[in-house]
Amino acid sequence: MSRSARILVVEDDHTLAELLVEELEAEGWAVDAQDSAEQALAIVDEFEPDLVVSDLQLPGMDGLGLLAALRKRHAPPAVLMISAYGTVERAVAALQAGAENFLTKPLDMDHFVLSVRRLVDNRRLHEEVRRFRELLDSPSFHGMQGSSRVMRILYDRVRQVAKADGAVLVTGESGTGKDLVARAIHAESGRSEAPFLAVNCAGIPADLMESEFFGHAEGAFSGADRARGGLFREADGGTLFLDEIGEMPLSLQAKLLRALQDGRIRPVGADREHQVDVRLVAATNKDLSEEVRSGEFREDLYYRLEAFQLEIPPLRDRGEDLEMLAMQFVARHAVARQRPARSISHEALSLIRAYPWPGNVRELSNAMERAVTFCEDEVVGPDHLPERVRQPRHDTDSADTADPLESLLQEGEMLPSLDELRARYVRYVLDRVDGNKRRAAALLGVGRRTLYRWLDNA
């Protein structure tokens, strides 16, 4: 889990409060204690408890008043009510008001801890289901999923470019979804009712490419027993998407440039030209400017294409989209393969966030398909992920990629004390999250008050 559960104890009996805190912290949960409902409400926004354990009888506002105030929150915590005056009527009143459980004093500590564990587990399951549903309900843009800032900018640029009618060059790393961007441009354009044809230039033999694009006349070459129109004429009025255009031979690039300039094509072996109206969208993961410098790509064709260029961000730069996409792929592959997986554990999500995903969305989809295949219950765990995701980046050779935890241990000549090691690790986590204390506290599995206390003592 990315963090332990946070539990807020509200009890004016200080001796009992200390005992409850001790028992709960021994279970690994982050615990805070307050002796009144008013003080509890004052820190609840900062502490963000998953569970509140509250005495029914409190000075000032009582436990039911605290429960009512907590229930008004956007994401109210679970509440376990305790009381030395336990009656059936009081228990019923607390449960009807929204408490998840009611225990009477004196508390049996084993039963108390078991009750807390059940509520924490139920709470976590409820939150995971809620988050899962939210992620699955995320809107898409012509099949593209993601609401990160970089993707919202891309969607806006697709809409803008679609209104023009010139050729478009879509660039980005392998697996980023260049075909989806091409389809989105077509769908947003005035050609959306006309054909959209997609072809991978690397998949066509060089000696057949001209005929494939521009067609041929009957008898133009051996095997041409009948005339063929070609992709440009089939896409007339619509959009032709040429993936991996960097693989197109130079000889054909000149003919493609002419088709873009005046809309005229000549089939192989034909005596006359045909006028076509086709919008070209090309894509590549190559640096075409470098290909131009090396003589592998025509400069005039490059400048014709790059007038409208869209760069798709890699998955590692898409922030919160990564988790949403992982969840969606789990759901999609689980339905397709009739597997039980419904969610991803916090431990597995931490590994997914840490991995750089060089193969981008395609690699993530394949990894989630593998995880769903090997997962025999409802939650995908670390063991279901590919080994490269579980143990990323151990094969690099630069000094700055050394194991950061080992580096923390090796600072100085002497082995650090536990307090010193904790201080170093807190600084390390803060550096990784750009000083965001909320995120750092969540990653460390403690409340922000605890984090602030550690920083003060460092």
Side-chain angles (χ1 to χ4, degrees):
M1 298 177 185
S2 60
R3 68 167 176 83
S4 63
R6 285 190 284 265
I7 301 174
L8 175 60
V9 174
V10 189
E11 173 59 71
D12 58 330
D13 180 338
H14 292 172
T15 301
L16 178 58
E18 288 180 7
L19 175 61
L20 296 181
V21 170
E22 184 177 326
E23 290 287 335
L24 295 172
E25 286 185 336
E27 296 295 318
W29 294 312
V31 186
D32 198 345
Q34 301 294 329
D35 58 10
S36 73
E38 289 80 0
Q39 291 180 354
L41 291 172
I43 63 102
V44 72
D45 282 338
E46 180 181 347
F47 187 59
E48 298 178 349
D50 299 289
L51 171 66
V52 173
V53 178
S54 176
D55 192 3
L56 187 60
Q57 293 291 124
L58 292 168
M61 181 187 294
D62 64 8
L64 290 178
L66 173 61
L67 174 59
L70 293 172
R71 296 277 294 174
K72 294 178 182 176
R73 292 173 55 79
H74 174 67
V79 174
L80 170 59
M81 201 68 73
I82 58 177
S83 176
Y85 307 97
T87 64
V88 174
E89 291 76 13
R90 282 175 172 265
V92 170
L95 295 174
Q96 286 181 335
E100 272 72 9
N101 204 350
F102 185 96
L103 298 178
T104 57
K105 301 176 184 176
L107 296 172
D108 177 306
M109 281 301 148
D110 290 338
H111 182 59
F112 169 72
V113 170
L114 180 62
S115 299
V116 169
R117 182 174 295 114
R118 285 175 176 168
L119 291 176
V120 166
D121 289 345
N122 287 341
R123 181 75 178 172
R124 178 154 295 153
L125 181 60
H126 173 79
E127 285 301 310
E128 288 181 350
V129 170
R130 181 190 61 78
R131 185 179 58 170
F132 194 47
R133 286 176 175 168
E134 287 180 354
L135 292 173
L136 292 180
D137 290 340
S138 298
S140 69
F141 180 73
H142 299 291
M144 288 184 282
Q145 300 288 342
S147 57
S148 60
R149 179 177 176 275
V150 291
M151 290 304 288
R152 293 198 305 273
I153 292 173
L154 177 64
Y155 301 156
D156 288 341
R157 293 205 62 196
V158 166
R159 293 189 185 96
Q160 293 167 341
V161 167
K163 294 174 184 174
D165 205 37
V168 182
L169 179 62
V170 182
T171 58
E173 296 179 5
S174 178
T176 50
K178 293 184 282 292
D179 56 332
L180 291 177
V181 170
R183 291 179 185 277
I185 293 169
H186 175 72
E188 290 282 331
S189 74
R191 300 172 179 267
S192 60
E193 300 300 321
F196 173 89
L197 296 183
V199 60
N200 188 324
C201 297
I204 304 175
D207 55 345
L208 296 180
M209 199 170 277
E210 181 178 358
S211 170
E212 192 71 20
F213 284 126
F214 304 119
H216 59 255
E218 180 179 347
F221 50 83
S222 177
D225 53 356
R226 59 180 179 176
R228 184 169 184 271
L231 292 171
F232 267 86
R233 291 176 70 183
E234 291 177 27
D236 196 13
T239 303
L240 179 59
F241 171 50
L242 302 184
D243 198 4
E244 298 192 45
I245 195 170
E247 304 300 324
M248 180 176 285
L250 279 168
S251 57
L252 193 62
Q253 291 176 24
K255 296 180 179 178
L256 177 63
L257 177 63
R258 189 183 175 213
L260 289 176
Q261 288 175 332
D262 59 19
R264 300 191 67 80
I265 60 170
R266 182 190 295 274
V268 178
D271 295 329
R272 67 184 183 88
E273 296 180 330
H274 296 276
Q275 187 74 38
V276 293
D277 175 23
V278 174
R279 186 179 198 185
L280 185 71
V281 178
T284 182
N285 57 10
K286 289 185 174 181
D287 182 348
L288 284 189
S289 62
E290 182 59 37
E291 295 290 300
V292 169
R293 283 191 286 272
S294 64
E296 297 296 323
F297 202 85
R298 289 181 64 100
E299 184 177 31
D300 45 9
L301 178 58
Y302 169 67
Y303 287 124
R304 186 82 184 184
L305 293 173
E306 66 93 41
F308 295 109
Q309 182 171 355
L310 296 176
E311 174 79 19
I312 305 177
L315 183 57
R316 59 183 171 277
D317 291 344
R318 292 178 55 180
E320 65 270 27
D321 287 350
L322 174 59
E323 183 175 338
M324 178 274 294
L325 287 169
M327 291 285 197
Q328 290 199 339
F329 286 135
V330 166
R332 187 179 305 170
H333 292 306
V335 170
R337 296 182 175 276
Q338 298 184 328
R339 300 295 299 165
R342 295 291 181 271
S343 185
I344 307 173
S345 72
H346 290 284
E347 295 93 332
L349 280 175
S350 295
L351 293 172
I352 289 170
R353 294 189 197 102
Y355 183 68
W357 300 104
N360 293 288
V361 179
R362 184 185 298 127
E363 182 185 11
L364 177 65
S365 176
N366 293 339
M368 294 304 102
E369 182 178 11
R370 177 194 188 279
V372 165
T373 300
F374 290 106
C375 180
E376 296 295 340
D377 55 32
E378 293 189 350
V379 182
V380 169
D383 291 343
H384 305 127
L385 300 174
E387 183 175 356
R388 66 181 183 281
V389 180
R390 298 198 302 269
Q391 298 176 338
R393 307 178 72 174
H394 287 307
D395 54 348
T396 50
D397 53 5
S398 60
D400 59 353
T401 56
D403 186 337
L405 295 180
E406 187 173 344
S407 298
L408 289 174
L409 283 169
Q410 291 177 346
E411 287 181 19
E413 297 181 356
M414 301 290 291
L415 286 174
S417 68
L418 192 57
D419 286 343
E420 187 178 354
L421 182 60
R422 184 184 66 192
R424 292 179 188 176
Y425 186 63
V426 169
R427 290 197 300 271
Y428 168 75
V429 172
L430 280 169
D431 287 342
R432 292 293 300 269
V433 298
D434 298 326
N436 186 318
K437 293 184 175 60
R438 179 187 292 274
R439 290 187 61 196
L443 288 169
L444 291 166
V446 300
R448 275 185 287 168
R449 295 182 67 187
T450 301
L451 176 60
Y452 285 122
R453 188 173 71 249
W454 285 353
L455 292 172
D456 289 340
N457 295 334

